[in-house]
Amino acid sequence: MDAFARHVDVTALTRDQFVQLLETLHMLGRTGAGIELSSLSTEVLVDIVRSASKEQIKAISEHDELRHVFIDEIFRRMSDHFVPERARNIDVVVSWRFTPGDGADGFDRFQTVIEDGICVSGEDLDRAPDTTITLSVEDFIRMATGSVAVAAMFVTGKVKVKGEYAPAVRFSSYFDLPQP
């Protein structure tokens, strides 16, 4: 899958072609064809996002199914990129609210729990949050793939924090994130 993806020139695709390619790959994965977005290495997934235009990433965020596929994939990979040594003595519950969302209140909701040197992420885990981070799906995709500087997202107000501010600011330092 990585070999195929490396040969796709994302910059040559229109917004609609980009979505159609991702829809096709996702559909092949659902049918058991052995071709799945989740089989892409993190490096290749990051390269795709970095190569994609803002309009292409926005198209993912506006697509009901692909939005969930990308968010789920990023949260699935979080524990793989978690660096326990960087989070010594840290116990934190971060709730995530993404716009646009299809939840009852207009948000997609997820949580990340870091405790005892372990990171677990997924849809709302019913834990009381220490901090809640609200941002758009497209900004989250860019942040998680290192396509934008995390600090800049806070400074420009694209990331909103409710609750303890320090865990939100330090959060990305607990992971081995791709660098822009």
Side-chain angles (χ1 to χ4, degrees), residues 4 7 28 31 47-48 62 65 76 87 91 95 151 154 167 174 178:
F4 167 76
H7 286 91
L28 288 170
T31 61
D47 287 343
I48 289 170
E62 293 172 347
E65 197 166 355
R76 184 186 71 77
D91 289 334
S95 286
F154 280 92
Y174 306 139

Side-chain angles (χ1 to χ4, degrees), residues 49-88:
V49 172
R50 282 189 184 152
S51 299
S53 69
K54 287 183 178 185
E55 280 302 308
Q56 288 170 322
I57 299 300
K58 185 175 176 109
I60 292 171
S61 74
E62 293 172 347
H63 190 284
D64 289 337
E65 197 166 355
L66 291 177
R67 177 180 69 242
H68 289 287
V69 168
F70 269 76
I71 293 173
D72 289 344
E73 192 59 30
I74 290 168
F75 279 108
R76 184 186 71 77
R77 293 174 190 241
M78 264 191 194
S79 61
D80 295 341
H81 295 279
F82 178 65
V83 182
E85 298 79 33
R86 294 184 190 168
R88 285 193 186 122

Side-chain angles (χ1 to χ4, degrees), residues 72-122:
D72 289 344
E73 192 59 30
I74 290 168
F75 279 108
R76 184 186 71 77
R77 293 174 190 241
M78 264 191 194
S79 61
D80 295 341
H81 295 279
F82 178 65
V83 182
E85 298 79 33
R86 294 184 190 168
R88 285 193 186 122
N89 305 316
I90 300 297
D91 289 334
V92 65
V93 177
V94 177
S95 286
W96 301 88
R97 298 183 334 160
F98 299 113
T99 62
D102 54 12
D105 57 355
F107 296 104
D108 290 330
R109 293 179 175 275
F110 288 78
Q111 280 190 327
T112 301
V113 178
I114 298 174
E115 58 188 8
D116 301 324
I118 297 172
C119 175
V120 178
S121 294

Side-chain angles (χ1 to χ4, degrees), residues 151-179:
M153 301 301 285
F154 280 92
V155 172
T156 60
K158 291 188 176 194
V159 174
K160 302 206 180 343
V161 177
K162 180 180 177 186
E164 293 183 39
Y165 200 78
V169 172
R170 291 187 195 123
F171 186 79
S172 65
S173 69
Y174 306 139
F175 299 87
D176 182 20
L177 294 177
Q179 297 300 312

